């Protein structure tokens, strides 16, 4: 595995690969790798000739600077993981390599997708995500790029970004990888105690209950019942539970409102914001 800090040098190296007809798979991450990341890498390894991964804790997407400082950094273990996963190139830039003096920091038109739901609570977050992903796409120019369904709103933002700039990149969305108890894997789970981590399974269980309930009760009632249950749990602070059209993120109040309906949830528990989601219907 080759490690590049410079986007320009990586771009030159990958241009040579493309000239010889190689297809390039790209998995952007912020490190502190776990099995969720590995599932993306595995799939990308199977579907491409050359595999590029990036590790970059992007300051632009952290609206809360304390969260940025507390973000886990486990580079030695990550490098080992990536070598085992068959990564060819690791992009490991510094902040100055990504946002050099020549970088023009204009906001990207995300058609309002960045200011609703998660974006309403984290102003600037999706602009930060879109900017760094666009920057990396411009230099890696992958054939396919892989993202996790775990960050559902992010996948809709990235799909929009690719359409908006007419980028010739296939976006592949990979299913959520969960711990044995159902908790969605996340680098932030490391901040939970063992007991909290085991108890945090209530989030997944409540999504399963919601999915079952909404097929025999109106969706609004099912959401209200699940929200009431979550609000009754000690130590859990439900930030939102909302059902949306999975293509547009427009809120739906009935399963009949869209062909593709996804429940999005954020619960603050043990001092950590835990994100999860579940597809309720996809025709
Ligand atoms: P992050 O390092 O948190 O920015 O995540 C990098 C990529 O891995 C993103 O596309 C995430 O959606 C994806 N990812 C994170 N956790 C999971 C998970 N539990 N299952 C599947 N993909 C995940």
């Amino acid at each position: 595995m080759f490690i590049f800090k410079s986007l320009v040098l990586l771009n030159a190296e990958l241009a040579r690969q493309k000239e010889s007809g190689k297809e390039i798979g790209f998995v952007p991450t912020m490190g502190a790798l776990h099995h969720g990341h590995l599932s993306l890498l595995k799939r990308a390894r199977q579907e491409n000739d050359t595999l590029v991964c990036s590790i970059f804790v992007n300051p632009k997407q952290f609206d809360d600077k304390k969260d940025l400082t507390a973000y886990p950094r486990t580079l030695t273990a990550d490098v080992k993981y990536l070598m085992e996963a068959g990564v060819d190139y690791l992009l490991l830039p510094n902040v100055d390599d990504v946002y050099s003096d020549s970088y023009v920091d204009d906001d990207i038109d995300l058609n309002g997708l960045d200011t609703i739901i998660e974006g309403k609570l984290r102003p600037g977050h999706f602009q930060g995500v879109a900017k760094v992903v666009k920057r990396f796409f411009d230099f890696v120019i992958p054939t396919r790029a892989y993202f996790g369904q775990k960050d559902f709103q992010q996948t809709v933002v990235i799909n929009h970004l690719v359409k908006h700039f007419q980028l010739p990149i296939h976006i592949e969305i990979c299913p959520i990888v969960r711990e044995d108890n159902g908790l969605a894997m996340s680098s932030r789970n490391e901040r939970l105690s063992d007991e909290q981590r085991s108890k945090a399974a209530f989030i997944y269980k409540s999504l399963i209950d919601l999915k079952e309930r909404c097929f025999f009760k109106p969706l609004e009632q099912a959401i209200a019942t699940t929200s009431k249950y979550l609000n009754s749990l000690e130590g859990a602070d439900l930030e939102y539970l909302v059902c949306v059209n999975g293509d547009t993120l427009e809120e739906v109040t009935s399963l009949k409102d869209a062909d593709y309906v996804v429940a999005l949830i954020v619960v603050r528990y043990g001092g950590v914001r835990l994100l999860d989601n579940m597809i309720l219907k996809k025709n």
Side-chain angles (χ1 to χ4, degrees), residues 4-22:
F4 280 73
K5 283 198 169 292
S6 156
L7 281 88
V8 175
L9 293 181
L10 178 64
N11 174 264
E13 170 70 16
L14 294 176
R16 275 194 289 279
Q17 303 254 342
K18 268 173 240 165
E19 269 164 29
S20 59
K22 299 239 166 89

Side-chain angles (χ1 to χ4, degrees), residues 23-44:
E23 293 191 333
I24 294 178
F26 178 44
V27 180
T29 81
M30 297 204 295
L33 302 179
H34 51 67
H35 287 279
H37 298 109
L38 282 192
S39 71
L40 273 58
L41 290 163
K42 236 186 225 167
R43 181 154 159 215

Side-chain angles (χ1 to χ4, degrees), residues 28-30 34 36-37 40 71 147-148 150-151 175-177 185:
T29 81
M30 297 204 295
H34 51 67
H37 298 109
L40 273 58
Y71 201 82
F147 293 86
K150 158 86 182 1
D151 299 284
I176 302 174
V177 177
M185 286 196 179

Side-chain angles (χ1 to χ4, degrees), residues 185-232:
M185 286 196 179
S186 164
S187 307
R188 289 186 172 86
N189 294 354
E190 298 300 323
R191 291 197 226 150
L192 298 171
S193 68
D194 287 349
E195 193 192 348
Q196 287 167 336
R197 204 158 163 158
S198 126
K199 283 192 176 159
F202 70 81
I203 300 171
Y204 177 61
K205 290 196 183 111
S206 66
L207 286 174
I208 301 257
D209 285 349
L210 174 68
K211 186 166 182 166
E212 283 171 5
R213 210 171 276 128
C214 73
F215 282 96
F216 59 86
K217 265 189 177 180
L219 185 59
E220 272 184 310
Q221 250 183 52
I223 296 172
T225 308
T226 305
S227 301
K228 195 170 161 201
Y229 162 71
L230 287 162
N231 281 322
S232 73

Side-chain angles (χ1 to χ4, degrees), residues 15-183:
R16 275 194 289 279
Q17 303 254 342
K18 268 173 240 165
E19 269 164 29
S20 59
K22 299 239 166 89
E23 293 191 333
I24 294 178
F26 178 44
V27 180
T29 81
M30 297 204 295
L33 302 179
H34 51 67
H35 287 279
H37 298 109
L38 282 192
S39 71
L40 273 58
L41 290 163
K42 236 186 225 167
R43 181 154 159 215
R45 180 65 283 172
Q46 282 165 5
E47 296 177 354
N48 301 276
D49 303 304
T50 301
L51 178 53
V52 182
C53 176
S54 62
I55 295 182
F56 180 60
V57 182
N58 175 32
K60 279 196 194 298
Q61 72 190 68
F62 284 81
D63 46 308
D64 175 355
K65 294 301 160 202
K66 271 192 254 152
D67 191 27
L68 172 63
T69 315
Y71 201 82
R73 288 160 171 88
T74 58
L75 187 59
T76 309
D78 290 352
V79 166
K80 195 164 166 265
Y81 252 151
L82 295 177
M83 286 168 68
E84 283 166 11
V87 170
D88 299 301
Y89 298 99
L90 167 60
L91 174 61
L92 191 65
N94 294 318
V95 175
D96 292 345
D97 298 314
V98 178
Y99 305 114
S100 52
D101 293 343
S102 60
Y103 177 72
V104 182
D105 194 1
D106 285 340
D107 273 3
I108 295 175
D109 180 0
L110 296 172
N111 200 24
L113 293 172
D114 51 331
T115 53
I116 54 173
I117 319 171
E118 183 70 3
K120 213 181 197 172
L121 297 177
R122 301 185 64 190
H125 170 68
F126 289 112
Q127 277 297 329
V129 169
K131 284 173 186 174
V132 79
V133 169
K134 171 71 167 55
R135 189 92 175 127
F136 287 174
F137 279 179
D138 285 346
F139 285 89
V140 176
I141 322 179
T143 318
R144 300 178 192 86
Y146 296 79
F147 293 86
Q149 184 205 314
K150 158 86 182 1
D151 299 284
F152 191 85
Q153 188 164 354
Q154 174 171 284
T155 64
V156 179
V157 166
I158 302 297
N159 276 325
H160 173 84
L161 179 84
V162 165
K163 273 199 204 117
H164 180 74
F165 290 106
Q166 299 185 323
L167 305 175
I169 300 170
H170 296 281
I171 300 301
E172 308 289 349
I173 311 295
C174 304
I176 302 174
V177 177
R178 299 180 179 279
E179 300 194 2
D180 288 344
N181 66 1
L183 174 65

